[in-house]
Amino acid sequence: MRLILLGAPGAGKGTQGVRLADHYGVAHVASGDILREHVAEGTPLGKRVAAYVAEGELVPDDLVLAVIGRAVVAAMETGGYLLDGFPRTLAQAKQAYAAATQGDIAADAVLFLDVPDEVAVERLVDRSATSGRSDDASIDVIRHRLEVFHSQTYPLLDFYRQDGRLVTIDAGAPPDEVFDGIVRTLDERLGA
Ligand code: AMP
């Protein structure tokens, strides 16, 4: 199974990503987690991306593409991938699609976890108490991340809608319900 999870910060990509990857037995590739690991370890990449992450800005495409490309190739050893947080710009989506098509590993479906902004903000504010994430610490950065989602990532929905792979999920429901809904929908569409 090869899946892409799209959604605003706070939509539940991380929560559903872990569960779906486990359910389908594929690697969970979370671009934010990978970038935060680099920051925590102080790698050269980590030093270049730390400020973007802390301010809620997107990391430049070339830096993300290199690191995620490697992670996806490694994930294919598990027979597929669950991409969480990547792609986030049209340029990333187009380059990833070109590379994946060449290797015959394009995603089977793209799941859009749809939540109202105010639900997302509420969840992120709750999460800030325990996440320890630099970009959860301020309401201004939280709101900025939502703006970035609307301006840079939202246009991807049309890109995936056009090729028939987009599946929209109501992600405002409790996590168990969202998970069951996703699995049911994928079973119907892909016979998974
Ligand atoms: P996330 O954990 O998915 O919410 O991502 C946290 C932060 O990592 C984002 O706000 C960006 O700064 C950076 N990031 C994660 N994925 C990407 C991506 N695909 N493109 C650019 N920046 C990213």
Side-chain angles (χ1 to χ4, degrees):
M1 178 67 89
R2 298 183 299 267
L3 294 174
I4 294 174
L5 274 187
L6 280 183
K13 296 188 301 297
T15 306
Q16 299 301 333
V18 169
R19 290 185 65 173
L20 289 165
D22 183 52
H23 181 81
Y24 292 111
V26 295
H28 176 217
V29 178
S31 51
D33 288 351
I34 294 172
L35 293 171
R36 278 186 293 277
E37 273 165 32
H38 277 274
V39 172
E41 287 166 17
T43 67
L45 176 69
K47 290 190 176 124
R48 291 179 72 182
V49 305
Y52 293 104
V53 174
E55 285 159 24
E57 298 290 352
L58 293 186
V59 168
D61 289 335
D62 55 333
L63 298 179
V64 175
L65 278 158
V67 77
I68 298 303
R70 281 195 295 273
V72 170
V73 169
M76 282 310 297
E77 309 237 321
T78 65
Y81 55 78
L82 185 295
L83 267 177
D84 160 358
F86 175 93
R88 247 179 167 95
T89 65
L90 216 40
Q92 288 177 14
K94 287 182 176 167
Q95 289 202 41
Y97 185 62
T101 310
Q102 217 172 22
D104 203 17
I105 57 166
D108 300 306
V110 179
L111 301 168
F112 171 45
L113 301 187
D114 193 13
V115 285
D117 278 5
E118 285 322 304
V119 173
V121 169
E122 216 173 283
R123 288 181 182 171
L124 292 171
V125 169
D126 284 350
R127 185 174 84 182
S128 69
T130 51
S131 74
R133 279 177 55 161
S134 56
D135 56 351
D136 281 346
S138 124
I139 186 73
D140 289 344
V141 172
I142 287 177
R143 290 207 177 276
H144 182 60
R145 284 157 62 208
L146 279 160
E147 282 163 21
V148 168
F149 170 75
H150 286 293
S151 62
Q152 311 245 48
T153 308
Y154 204 79
L156 270 64
L157 299 186
D158 262 346
F159 176 77
Y160 291 120
R161 194 176 282 123
Q162 274 161 20
D163 70 14
R165 285 183 296 165
L166 188 74
V167 180
T168 299
I169 304 286
D170 174 3
D176 285 351
E177 260 175 58
V178 175
F179 177 75
D180 290 345
I182 293 173
V183 170
R184 222 177 19 249
T185 308
L186 290 176
D187 283 353
E188 280 163 17
R189 283 179 68 108
L190 306 172

